[in-house]
Amino acid sequence: MVIPVHDVNPARRTPYVTYALIAASVLVFLITPGTGDTVAGGSELARLCHLQAFVDHYAAVPAELIHHRMPRAVPTGDVGVGPRGPGCVLGPPDYDKSPALSVFTAMFLHAGWVHLLGNMLFLLIFGNNVEDRMGHIRFFLFYVVCGYAAGYGFALLNAGSAEPLIGASGAIAGVLGAYLVLYPRARVWVLVPFLVFLPLRLPAWVVLGFWFGLQAVNSSGHHDPGAGTVAYAAHVAGFLAGMLLAWPLKAGTPEPPEPRRLLFGRQARPRQVW
């Protein structure tokens, strides 16, 4: 996997919505139970149970999205002792949850620092130009729509799953799809892991096309079993939604500037201005 660090595509205006989305995601992560050492009394199991209850409350659950109903028992956040030893207590939900609204709240939840920072890096690099092209309000609506397309797209393929779906990856995948449509020839500096991290400047269509190809292959089931429970299908759905929504804007999108070349010999000498 390549790691993007910068694109040669300056924006004309400040990406306030992109910055606000990043700030909101970081803030939610910091107040999520289990991220601090003193949450839920300091016990590891207590923190885990508290986190499980919090995530189940605000995450998008495919079975809930498809069937529009809550399960009879959910994590309460309490610790109990059963026949198999200590564990998290399940009980009837004491709150009303809107499955549709949970898709929105799930966009601001993340599983850890790596998950959060990886998502925010992609949003920071590619979101500013897409916001610049769409405008602040339209970009925010676009981001939310892509997040919903990713969430419901994943749920349709996993209708019986009760595993919580969290993260901004689906919405950010939509941003990547839009960037590919609008700025396919923009240059992106990336780090390629090959013994060491090699810095390369590649066209956006190579970087984002490679990223999408990995998501498509992994979503089909042909991936490393150790990859974890990543919702690759949500990434694919969000990316395709972003491409479709950005396509009408392609005709009027200005070309990104040509990157500066390395100059040698006579070309490197300063020109005289008369």
Side-chain angles (χ1 to χ4, degrees):
M1 186 61 186
V2 296
I3 303 173
V5 293
H6 176 65
D7 65 333
V8 187
N9 192 7
R12 297 168 299 173
R13 46 188 163 185
T14 304
Y16 294 113
V17 175
T18 298
Y19 292 158
L21 290 170
I22 293 173
S25 297
V26 173
L27 177 62
V28 170
F29 180 76
L30 292 177
I31 65 175
T32 298
T35 59
D37 294 331
T38 60
V39 176
S43 166
E44 185 65 27
L45 179 58
R47 286 199 299 269
L48 176 62
C49 294
H50 199 188
L51 174 62
Q52 189 176 12
F54 181 86
V55 169
D56 197 82
H57 187 172
Y58 295 104
V61 179
E64 296 174 8
L65 296 179
I66 299 301
H67 302 296
H68 301 285
R69 63 174 182 268
M70 289 275 294
R72 295 182 179 179
V74 298
T76 65
D78 298 325
V79 177
V81 180
R84 299 182 180 180
C88 300
V89 176
L90 300 180
D94 60 354
Y95 54 84
D96 293 325
K97 179 181 179 180
S98 169
L101 182 60
S102 70
V103 178
F104 179 77
T105 56
M107 295 181 202
F108 298 93
L109 301 177
H110 290 84
W113 280 109
V114 174
H115 187 203
L116 173 70
L117 295 179
N119 277 347
M120 296 305 103
L121 175 64
F122 275 80
L123 178 58
L124 179 64
I125 293 174
F126 300 105
N128 62 336
N129 294 107
V130 178
E131 180 179 348
D132 186 36
R133 182 66 183 91
M134 293 184 175
H136 305 307
I137 302 300
R138 282 200 298 177
F139 175 72
F140 177 74
L141 295 176
F142 164 83
Y143 184 88
V144 173
V145 169
C146 289
Y148 269 84
Y152 274 96
F154 181 83
L156 288 172
L157 297 175
N158 301 271
S161 174
E163 292 294 326
L165 182 65
I166 62 173
S169 304
I172 295 173
V175 174
L176 303 186
Y179 195 101
L180 178 61
V181 168
L182 299 174
Y183 306 104
R185 289 185 285 185
R187 297 299 194 271
V188 180
W189 280 100
V190 299
L191 297 177
V192 180
F194 183 76
L195 299 180
V196 295
F197 284 99
L198 300 178
L200 295 177
R201 190 174 65 190
L202 302 174
W205 67 266
V206 173
V207 177
L208 299 179
F210 177 71
W211 182 89
F212 178 73
L214 285 179
Q215 311 310 304
V217 169
N218 288 331
S219 68
S220 67
H222 303 292
H223 61 84
D224 182 2
T229 55
V230 179
Y232 292 108
H235 300 173
V236 172
F239 192 94
L240 295 177
M243 292 186 68
L244 291 174
L245 292 173
W247 198 265
L249 299 175
K250 179 177 176 60
T253 302
E255 289 289 332
E258 286 294 326
R260 296 179 179 178
R261 298 178 300 167
L262 297 178
L263 302 179
F264 301 93
R266 293 182 178 180
Q267 291 180 334
R269 298 175 183 174
R271 297 182 179 180
Q272 297 292 332
V273 180
W274 298 89

